[in-house]
DNA sequence: ATCAAGTTTGACCATCCAGTCAAGAAGCTT
DNA sequence: AAGCTTCTTGACTGGATGGTCAAACTTGAT
C-alpha cells in the first residue's frame, strides 16, 4: 500500500522537529546538505529536485518522502540558517570595549564566511530576489536588532569611544566586506589564481581597515 | 510564409550589431530592458520568456523574432554590461594623486550602484552561480586589469603615498562596499524603512572610511 | 495603390520538472 | 520466522516553459 508520511514530517510548519529514527535523521541531513549546495549556487527556481536528489545520492521520490515539497526544503534551510545568522551581531556587548567589540564582531562574521560560504550564498540569493521568503524575518527580527545595535554604536560615538560614524553604514560595511568573500568567491578565485584561498589576507586587511576607521 | 530573421539577428556571435530599422532598435532595447529587470531579480534559470515578454509588452514569439533564444538575450545583456563595468577601474590614473584617484574610483563605483542597480544584481547573480558565462572574460580581461592596478597600488604604497595595505583586498573592498548597496538593496530597504534611499549617507561614510584607511 | 520586406501572433510541440502512487525492499519487534 | 512498520523506487501525470511555424498584419518604397 501507499506509505504514509512519518508523523514528524507530516506538517512541518516550523522546522526543528527531530526525526524519530536514525535513518530519518541521517537522510534528512543528507538532503538538506545537498539542497544547500544546489540552492546556494542556482537559487530557488534554478534548482531542480533531480539535481538535489543526484547530489544527495537518493531518488527523487525518496526526497519527497522526507520533505513535503521543494519549498519546504528551501524554507527549512533558510530557517536553520537564520537561527544562527544573527548570533554574531547579538553578541555585540554594550559592556565591552567598543573597538574590541566591533572588531570581534567583524571577525565572527568573517569566520562565518569562511565556515559557511554556501549559507552566505543562499542568503545572498534570497536577498537578490527581493527577500520574498524572509521578509517577515527581516522586519520582525533583523530590523529591531540592527536598530538596537545602531543605538549602541551611536552611544559609543557620542561618548567619544569610537569615531562619529553612521552606525547603520558601519554595520552594512561589515556585512558587505565579510560576505563578499563567500558570495563572490568564484570571481576572487579567478583573479587571484585558483589554488589561492579567497580569504587569504582578508583578516589583517579588515583589522587595519576597522582599526583606522574606528579610532576616535 | 515563414519570416526569415533579419540579417543582423541571424547569428549574433558577439553583440554589437546595430539594428537596421527604427523598430528593430526600439524593440531590441525594450526587450533587453525587460530582460534585465527579470534576469537581475530571478537569475537565468529563474527567469521565463513569458515574464520577459509580459514585462516588455510583447508576445513571446515576437521576442524570439528579435533574439534567437533565451541564452542570447542573457549573453547580450552581460556583454553590454561588461563593456562598461571595468571603465571605473581602467580610469585609475598612475599620474594622479593616489588618494584622490582611489577616492574617485570608489565614487565612480558607488555611482554605478546608484545608476545601474539591476546591472549590478545581474552580475552578482552570475558570480553567485559560479560565473559560468563570464569566466573567460574574468580571466582574460578583469584579471590582468586588476593585476596591473594592484601593481600600481603597490608602487604607491612603496613610495609612501598611501598606507601599506594589500592592494587586492583594497580593490575587493571597494567592490564589496559599493555593490552591496545595489545587490542587497531589498534588505537595506527593509531595515532602514521603505521610503528611505538605500544609498543615503553612503558616500560620506565611504569617504571617511577610505580617507582613514589610505592615509600613509 | 501595389507589392515586397519587415513585423506580429495564435496555435502548436517537445522537453523539463514538481509531485503522485502503488508495489516492493529493508528493518524492527516478537 | 512472521508480521508489521519504515523506507525506497520505477513509472506516471499535469502543468510550465523554451522554442517553432505559417498565416496575417504593417510599413515603406515606387
Amino acid at each position: 500500500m501507499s506509505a504514509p508520511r512519518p508523523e514528524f514530517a507530516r506538517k512541518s510548519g516550523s522546522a526543528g522537529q527531530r526525526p524519530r529514527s536514525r535513518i530519518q535523521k541521517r537522510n534528512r541531513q543528507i538532503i538538506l546538505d545537498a539542497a544547500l549546495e544546489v540552492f546556494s549556487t542556482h537559487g530557488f527556481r534554478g534548482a531542480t529536485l533531480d539535481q538535489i536528489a543526484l547530489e544527495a545520492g537518493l531518488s527523487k521520490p525518496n526526497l519527497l518522502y522526507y520533505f513535503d515539497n521543494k519549498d519546504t526544503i528551501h524554507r527549512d534551510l533558510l530557517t536553520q540558517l537564520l537561527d544562527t545568522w544573527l548570533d554574531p551581531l547579538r553578541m555585540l556587548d554594550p559592556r565591552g570595549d567598543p573597538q574590541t567589540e566591533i572588531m570581534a564582531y567583524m571577525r565572527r562574521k568573517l569566520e562565518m564566511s569562511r565556515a559557511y560560504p554556501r549559507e552566505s550564498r543562499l542568503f545572498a540569493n534570497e536577498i537578490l530576489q527581493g527577500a520574498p521568503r524572509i521578509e517577515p524575518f527581516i522586519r520582525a527580527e533583523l530590523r529591531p536588532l540592527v536598530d538596537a545595535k545602531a543605538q549602541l554604536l551611536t552611544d559609543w560615538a557620542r561618548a567619544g569611544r569610537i569615531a562619529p560614524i553612521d552606525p547603520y553604514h558601519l554595520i552594512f560595511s561589515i556585512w558587505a566586506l565579510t560576505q563578499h568573500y563567500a558570495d563572490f568567491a568564484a570571481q576572487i578565485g579567478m583573479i587571484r589564481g585558483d589554488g589561492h584561498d579567497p580569504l587569504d589576507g582578508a583578516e589583517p586587511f579588515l583589522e587595519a581597515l576597522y582599526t583606522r576607521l574606528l579610532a576616535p
Side-chain angles (χ1 to χ4, degrees), chain A:
Chain A
M1 103 257 308
S2 173
R5 295 294 157 76
E7 279 305 313
F8 74 91
R10 186 76 53 73
K11 181 68 220 90
S12 54
S14 56
Q17 290 97 333
R18 60 216 159 307
R20 297 279 152 80
S21 75
R22 222 173 306 112
I23 297 179
Q24 290 272 343
K25 194 164 193 161
R26 197 181 105 259
N27 281 353
R28 280 181 67 92
Q29 201 45 56
I30 288 174
I31 292 168
L32 284 174
D33 194 67
L36 176 58
E37 187 70 31
V38 177
F39 280 133
S40 68
T41 62
H42 294 92
F44 180 75
R45 301 244 353 232
T48 72
L49 289 180
D50 288 294
Q51 255 179 305
I52 298 173
L54 186 72
E55 181 84 21
L58 299 172
S59 66
K60 184 170 60 169
N62 205 179
L63 237 66
L64 293 163
Y65 172 76
Y66 290 102
F67 292 89
D68 283 351
N69 49 44
K70 185 182 176 183
D71 205 78
T72 301
I73 305 178
H74 192 249
R75 289 198 120 81
D76 276 16
L77 275 177
L78 278 178
T79 307
Q80 191 172 296
L81 160 64
L82 295 176
D83 250 3
T84 58
W85 203 240
L86 302 194
D87 284 347
L89 183 53
R90 285 201 192 94
M91 291 169 73
L92 199 73
D93 187 351
R95 294 157 307 179
D97 171 63
Q99 295 190 59
T100 312
E101 284 297 320
I102 296 167
M103 213 69 99
Y105 172 49
M106 176 274 286
R107 261 186 237 107
R108 286 193 293 271
K109 283 290 291 174
L110 194 61
E111 184 50 32
M112 292 198 61
S113 271
R114 192 195 307 274
Y116 307 107
R118 300 179 305 176
E119 280 83 350
S120 184
R121 287 193 287 269
L122 183 72
F123 186 80
N125 254 307
E126 172 70 9
I127 302 294
L128 269 178
Q129 284 158 33
R133 292 155 206 276
I134 61 173
E135 174 163 357
F137 170 87
I138 292 180
R139 294 190 189 279
E141 306 267 340
L142 179 54
R143 184 179 175 167
L145 177 63
V146 170
D147 282 344
K149 297 305 182 182
Q151 185 57 55
L152 173 59
L153 292 169
T154 302
D155 293 343
W156 281 343
R158 285 241 177 80
R161 304 179 71 188
I162 58 171
I165 44 181
D166 184 303
Y168 288 95
H169 287 287
L170 174 57
I171 292 172
F172 295 158
S173 77
I174 293 175
W175 293 352
L177 287 170
T178 56
Q179 292 174 13
H180 184 85
Y181 289 103
D183 301 343
F184 288 74
Q187 184 185 31
I188 294 175
M190 291 171 196
I191 288 174
R192 308 217 61 176
D194 293 299
H196 208 282
D197 170 18
L199 273 141
D200 195 41
E203 188 166 336
F205 172 80
L206 292 180
E207 257 163 38
L209 189 153
Y210 282 107
T211 301
R212 285 159 171 263
L213 176 61
L214 295 173

